[in-house]
Amino acid sequence: GGSFCLPSFAVLSRNPRKKFCFCPAKPLRGAEKAVIMKSGLDPVLFPDGQSFPLRPGAGNRRIQEECTMEIKITRAAVLKEKPDSSTLVFGKAMTDHMFIVDYDAGQGWHDPRIVPYGPLQIDPAAKVLHYGEEIFEGLKAYRTAGGSIQLFRPRDNIDRMNKSAQRLCLPQIPEELALAGITKLVEVEQDWVPHEKDTSLYIRPFMIGLDAALGVHSSHHVQYIVVVCPVGAYYPEGLNPVKIYVEE
């Protein structure tokens, strides 16, 4: 595996066999838009075609040690037909795979995996169904004119999700684990990222409490899941057709 340090965007490797996670970095100056931490990772080029090596440091070694969980990948046996980009609507055409990682009290987060997209098996007494123990976020992956795929400030979404988790007494997910799951899933589904203007790959991370008990308490078994789907503009005709109802 390897790691990237990026200021605001995350750019994905084109080699699907590579494992990697992302680590925080200080804002980079000038042309230093990206750094590659390990020579074994394929170079990732920004539109200007530049990439830069990273000098090793104690902080980077610490982050690498924290990103040791391997994400297991189970590929879908049959792939879906991809929709025409001109007909995309929001949140309808789900991709072939999803990311899941489990949390159990006393064990923490474990078993991160990418599996074929499909229904979840949930106990009828699961707390998410009765007490709304669920949080979600939303972000997008964009394809640049040069063909690379970028995520806009995904750490901000993860930080906001963890604030929501704290508010609902759900476990906070380590930033590197959440980001590794998102980026690896987008890498697996990179062919689903549309090229046309005003299109993107929408990313929906969510967390659900799964304790099978009707008593009211915080969940000890939780799943963090990420699903993705290609989307067009949320308002295809702009904001003009939006109607609102206001009352005192």
Side-chain angles (χ1 to χ4, degrees), residues 229-240:
C229 59
V231 297
Y234 195 87
Y235 298 109
E237 300 177 7
L239 295 179
N240 183 50

Side-chain angles (χ1 to χ4, degrees), residues 10 12 29 82 100 107 141 148 152 157 174 222-223 229 236 238 245:
L12 305 182
R29 298 187 300 271
K82 296 175 178 61
I100 302 175
Q107 183 177 1
S148 65
F152 182 69
N157 293 87
V222 171
Q223 282 188 331
C229 59
Y245 178 80

Side-chain angles (χ1 to χ4, degrees), residues 1-6 13 15 18-23 34-44 51-57 59-69:
S3 300
F4 294 123
C5 272
L6 308 177
S13 168
N15 188 338
K18 298 289 185 180
K19 301 194 302 290
F20 61 88
C21 60
F22 284 67
C23 64
V35 288
I36 299 175
M37 292 184 65
K38 291 187 177 180
S39 59
L41 191 65
D42 287 352
V44 175
S51 61
F52 300 86
L54 174 69
R55 292 185 295 273
N60 296 321
R61 286 196 298 271
R62 179 183 63 79
I63 294 300
Q64 291 176 27
E65 290 170 357
E66 292 177 356
C67 296
T68 56
M69 279 197 287

Side-chain angles (χ1 to χ4, degrees), residues 4 98 111 144:
F4 294 123
M98 57 186 180
D111 194 22
T144 69

Side-chain angles (χ1 to χ4, degrees), residues 95-110:
T95 66
D96 297 301
H97 301 88
M98 57 186 180
F99 173 78
I100 302 175
V101 61
D102 294 292
Y103 173 90
D104 285 290
Q107 183 177 1
W109 294 98
H110 61 92

